[in-house]
Amino acid sequence: MELTDLLIKLIPVLPLMAVIANGLFGSRYSTTVAHRLAWGSVGLSFLCAIAVFVEVWQRGTSREVVVYQWIFGENLNIHLAYLVDSLTCAWLLVVTGVGFLIHVYSVGYMQGEPGFTRFFTYMNLFMVSMLLLVMGNNYVVLFIGWEGVGLCSYLLIGYYYDRVSAAKAATKAFVVNRVGDAGFLLAIFLIFVHFRTLDYTSVFAQVESLSPEVATAIALCLLIGAVGKSAQIPLYTWLPDAMEGPTPVSALIHAATMVTAGVYMIVRNHVIFDLSPVAMSVVAFIGGGTALFAATMGVVQTDIKRVLAYSTVSQLGYMFLGCGIGAYTAAVFHVMTHAFFKALLFLSAGSVIHALAGEQDIRKMGGLSKKIPWTYRLFLVGTVAIAGLPPLAGFWSKDEIMTHAFVHDHYLLYAMAAAGAFLTSFYMFRLLYLTFYGSSRLDHHAEEHVHESPMVMVGPLMVLGALSLVGGLILGFPPEHGWLHQFLKPVVDLPIEQDVNLGLVFLLMGTATAIALLGWGLAHFLYHVSPQTAESWTARFSGVYTTLLNKYYVDELYDVAVVEPTKRLGGFLDWFDRTIIDGVVRGVGRLADWGSAGSTWIEKHVIYATLNVIGYSNHLAARQGRKIQSGMVHHYAAILVAGIFLIALMVQIVVQQ
């Protein structure tokens, strides 16, 4: 076995070993051992990912590594195998690198929390699932990782399971993602029907044989899955509620990794999407609409984490927009820069919450810049980066997407992206001013205990701050010809126009900068220079403000149109089961009773004895079967996974025979 192959196999195995150790034996040793196993395993995975990345970079080729021959037969061969190319490496570095920093940060943030070891077990399990998702060489391994991150999201959002709001948010995330997963499954079925294989390389080699109609069907089904996982319109509502989980969860799952899985899937399958202009247009307009729609809700939020949550939804919209207009490299570029500055912002927000003993309402903050100076400086770096001001990371990736839209005559999409960029700058600087500037609005008890976070939390922030400062220049300069563009060329080999007017490019860069400065200027005036103006505007446009604060009443609309009818349908089915089905069973019993009226004494008692034996057997079976009906979603998920593996094993035995 080559060293590189061994390192590839170790990347997901190392955190899996930590899951097994902490999950099974964590109660037998100290929390210090538990968290060292957790972040140490992810750190080692990061080192392995760096070594694999260097190998792929130097050779410029991809590698396929088979770990286990899982299902094989005449028409279906599915292995637990990895495909490692430049696209995989980009995600591996983000997942393991940012994941390692968040794990280290969590040691300080989660210290003293009940279930400390359980938290790190879930975090490591998420890492394993995400790594399977981006490393798999076929759609089945991708789907296993896809479902794994969904399960871990449920577990981590509902970490504080004794809080009703957290339990509801976790359930909402799980259910909404199942809607997207249904579309993803349909796409997998369509791919197998038309290609008789589920391996990426085989599918992509035959993709030209697809008719435009079939390509559109597959692409749209894939898009449904991506919309659910990446929180795009109309399945975005789960992500803001997911802020009920601990802040490190928000940073890892809902900013830097899991929510970008939809973008990864589209870029990985771009050869299918390229065959369908209809699907590409749908992707682009969903992305542009989400970028603008979510930004409008971000301007009025008062919870520090919810502002960042809507910002995440909006930034994911830019990534989808980039994919929809064919700017795949720009979309991946924005995934990476977004991981830097959004993880920085979430963890900085966690530092603020930690300093204020759990307070998250920005209306009760203010004047914190001198009390927690390191957190303030690093939050400022993240704010400038996401606002799109040069030369920080967010400027280069976001501007590249917007420039690509304008140059290729997608003027409406450009206008939507520009409006979203203005609002992003406005609400992020609004958040900065309300949190760190002005007079203190803290209550007396909180103000007495304000303190800077320990170095175990500030250290990762510094690394993310440095990446937010220079990451864009390192990865993507000069625009369209930067290092990342060359690195991704073997996977996303799209022609780059050489005759683009450089004057137009610089004009668009200047326009993007001016848009960000206008948003900053408006926020500076309303929330620093003249706060009373903001209050008067709120009162004057109270209807608009209330609508935005209530998120356009989309959740209420879904309750009326989807949730309540589903509940009524469930009630009807329950009535049908108890009344009709049970009535038939009882009728059979009565019929037997009536039929025995004219029988002999022996016949009558034989019938009753038989029925009693059957009834008692059913009763025992029901009592035993009821034990697995625990009502816990993760129990059902475990049974589902076990069943899939059992069926696969049976199929394998039959094929071998």
Side-chain angles (χ1 to χ4, degrees):
M1 181 189 299
E2 291 188 20
L3 177 60
T4 304
D5 291 353
L6 176 61
L7 293 175
I8 290 171
K9 293 178 180 179
L10 283 176
I11 291 173
V13 166
L14 289 166
L16 178 61
M17 293 170 64
V19 171
I20 295 171
N22 284 336
L24 296 179
F25 310 109
S27 60
R28 301 182 184 180
Y29 44 73
S30 67
T31 56
T32 301
V33 175
H35 75 66
R36 286 177 179 174
L37 280 173
W39 62 257
S41 64
V42 178
L44 290 174
S45 288
F46 179 50
L47 294 178
C48 293
I50 291 175
V52 172
F53 154 72
V54 171
E55 173 78 9
V56 172
W57 181 20
Q58 289 178 343
R59 295 194 178 185
T61 57
S62 62
R63 300 179 73 94
E64 290 197 59
V65 179
V66 178
V67 179
Y68 174 69
Q69 294 186 348
W70 184 18
I71 304 172
F72 49 90
E74 182 179 355
N75 294 322
L76 180 62
N77 292 278
I78 299 172
H79 304 316
L80 178 57
Y82 304 139
L83 170 65
V84 178
D85 55 17
S86 54
L87 182 63
T88 305
C89 286
W91 252 269
L92 282 180
L93 293 176
V94 170
V95 172
T96 57
V98 176
F100 170 70
L101 294 173
I102 295 172
H103 273 72
V104 173
Y105 174 96
S106 300
V107 175
Y109 188 87
M110 299 299 293
Q111 194 65 45
E113 289 279 358
F116 185 83
T117 302
R118 172 169 59 91
F119 172 81
F120 279 104
T121 302
Y122 292 165
M123 291 280 277
N124 282 144
L125 183 59
F126 168 81
M127 295 296 295
V128 175
S129 300
M130 191 68 199
L131 291 170
L132 284 176
L133 191 156
V134 301
M135 293 177 67
N137 82 331
N138 60 73
Y139 290 95
V140 176
V141 177
L142 169 64
F143 188 73
I144 291 172
W146 191 273
E147 291 301 293
V149 295
L151 172 62
C152 294
S153 175
Y154 169 82
L155 296 173
L156 286 166
I157 295 169
Y159 174 77
Y160 300 115
Y161 56 84
D162 54 340
R163 291 192 337 214
V164 175
S165 57
K168 287 184 176 180
T171 303
K172 183 177 183 179
F174 194 84
V175 171
V176 172
N177 272 273
R178 297 293 74 72
V179 176
D181 295 350
F184 189 16
L185 274 174
L186 287 175
I188 293 175
F189 296 152
L190 286 172
I191 288 170
F192 181 73
V193 166
H194 286 84
F195 297 109
R196 313 307 296 177
T197 180
L198 292 174
D199 287 348
Y200 294 149
T201 51
S202 299
V203 169
F204 299 156
Q206 306 174 56
V207 75
E208 294 297 333
S209 64
L210 284 180
S211 66
E213 295 77 16
V214 174
T216 298
I218 294 174
L220 290 178
C221 287
L222 288 172
L223 177 60
I224 293 172
V227 163
K229 194 67 72 184
S230 293
Q232 298 293 284
I233 293 174
L235 301 179
Y236 69 92
T237 56
W238 67 269
L239 194 144
D241 290 351
M243 297 304 108
E244 291 290 340
T247 300
V249 173
S250 304
L252 178 65
I253 296 183
H254 308 121
T257 54
M258 185 187 107
V259 291
T260 64
V263 182
Y264 170 81
M265 184 175 67
I266 292 176
V267 177
R268 175 62 73 191
N269 292 276
H270 74 88
V271 292
I272 297 177
F273 281 86
D274 290 339
L275 296 176
S276 173
V278 173
M280 292 288 282
S281 296
V282 174
V283 173
F285 278 97
I286 283 178
T290 303
L292 179 57
F293 184 67
T296 60
M297 290 180 279
V299 300
V300 300
Q301 298 301 312
T302 56
D303 184 299
I304 187 171
K305 287 173 65 176
R306 279 188 175 269
V307 176
L308 298 177
Y310 281 107
S311 170
T312 297
V313 177
S314 181
Q315 296 304 307
L316 288 166
Y318 283 99
M319 300 170 202
F320 270 66
L321 193 158
C323 291
I325 59 177
Y328 298 111
T329 303
V332 176
F333 186 16
H334 199 52
V335 166
M336 300 184 76
T337 60
H338 179 262
F340 302 152
F341 58 70
K342 186 52 66 66
L344 171 62
L345 287 167
F346 264 116
L347 296 185
S348 298
S351 182
V352 172
I353 296 167
H354 183 267
L356 301 181
E359 182 59 66
Q360 296 184 200
D361 192 337
I362 58 178
R363 295 171 297 183
K364 299 178 181 178
M365 299 181 187
L368 293 176
S369 59
K370 296 180 180 179
K371 296 182 174 65
I372 44 175
W374 278 109
T375 300
Y376 158 68
R377 295 182 189 119
L378 292 163
F379 197 94
L380 175 61
V381 170
T383 300
V384 176
I386 193 174
L389 288 169
L392 276 74
F395 167 77
W396 302 103
S397 55
K398 190 187 298 184
D399 175 73
E400 190 169 310
I401 293 172
M402 293 172 62
T403 298
H404 196 281
F406 191 91
V407 168
H408 291 83
D409 303 329
H410 301 292
Y411 300 122
L412 177 57
L413 291 170
Y414 176 83
M416 296 166 72
F422 169 77
L423 292 175
T424 300
S425 179
F426 171 76
Y427 66 67
M428 285 307 305
F429 280 105
R430 167 184 176 267
L431 177 61
L432 180 77
Y433 285 123
L434 288 176
T435 304
F436 294 100
Y437 288 82
S439 58
S440 174
R441 299 180 297 278
L442 301 172
D443 63 58
H444 181 69
H445 176 73
E447 192 154 17
E448 286 181 342
H449 296 85
V450 175
H451 59 283
E452 185 60 271
S453 297
M455 186 51 64
V456 71
M457 295 172 63
V458 174
L461 295 182
M462 292 179 176
V463 176
L464 291 167
L467 291 171
S468 298
L469 280 169
V470 301
L473 285 168
I474 293 173
L475 294 174
F477 187 84
E480 298 284 355
H481 300 278
W483 174 85
L484 184 63
H485 301 79
Q486 303 304 320
F487 181 62
L488 291 176
K489 219 171 188 180
V491 178
V492 190
D493 188 13
L494 297 176
I496 299 176
E497 294 80 357
Q498 303 295 329
D499 57 348
V500 175
N501 188 327
L502 290 179
L504 176 61
V505 172
F506 283 115
L507 176 62
L508 292 172
M509 292 172 67
T511 302
T513 304
I515 289 170
L517 288 173
L518 282 173
W520 183 358
L522 182 60
H524 179 76
F525 174 74
L526 291 178
Y527 297 100
H528 189 59
V529 176
S530 180
Q532 62 275 13
T533 304
E535 295 175 2
S536 65
W537 283 17
T538 300
R540 181 180 304 176
F541 302 103
S542 59
V544 175
Y545 177 83
T546 303
T547 300
L548 294 178
L549 192 62
N550 287 281
K551 303 162 288 186
Y552 294 96
Y553 301 98
V554 172
D555 283 303
E556 290 78 3
L557 176 62
Y558 284 176
D559 283 340
V560 172
V562 179
V563 177
E564 292 304 323
T566 303
K567 287 181 178 179
R568 288 195 291 271
L569 176 61
F572 168 75
L573 293 176
D574 179 63
W575 171 86
F576 186 83
D577 177 63
R578 288 184 290 104
T579 306
I580 306 301
I581 303 299
D582 288 353
V584 171
V585 174
R586 289 192 296 269
V588 171
R590 293 193 184 99
L591 183 62
D593 188 33
W594 295 337
S596 67
S599 303
T600 65
W601 182 89
I602 296 176
E603 290 173 335
K604 181 176 180 180
H605 284 78
V606 167
I607 293 173
Y608 272 111
T610 304
L611 291 175
N612 284 333
V613 169
I614 294 172
Y616 185 67
S617 300
N618 289 337
H619 175 68
L620 289 178
R623 287 185 61 185
Q624 296 301 316
R626 188 165 53 189
K627 293 180 180 179
I628 66 173
Q629 303 297 325
S630 62
M632 306 298 289
V633 176
H634 57 280
H635 289 175
Y636 300 154
I639 293 170
L640 175 63
V641 172
I644 291 173
F645 277 94
L646 181 60
I647 293 171
L649 181 61
M650 293 170 63
V651 171
Q652 182 176 342
I653 292 172
V654 171
V655 170
Q656 287 176 334
Q657 290 177 348

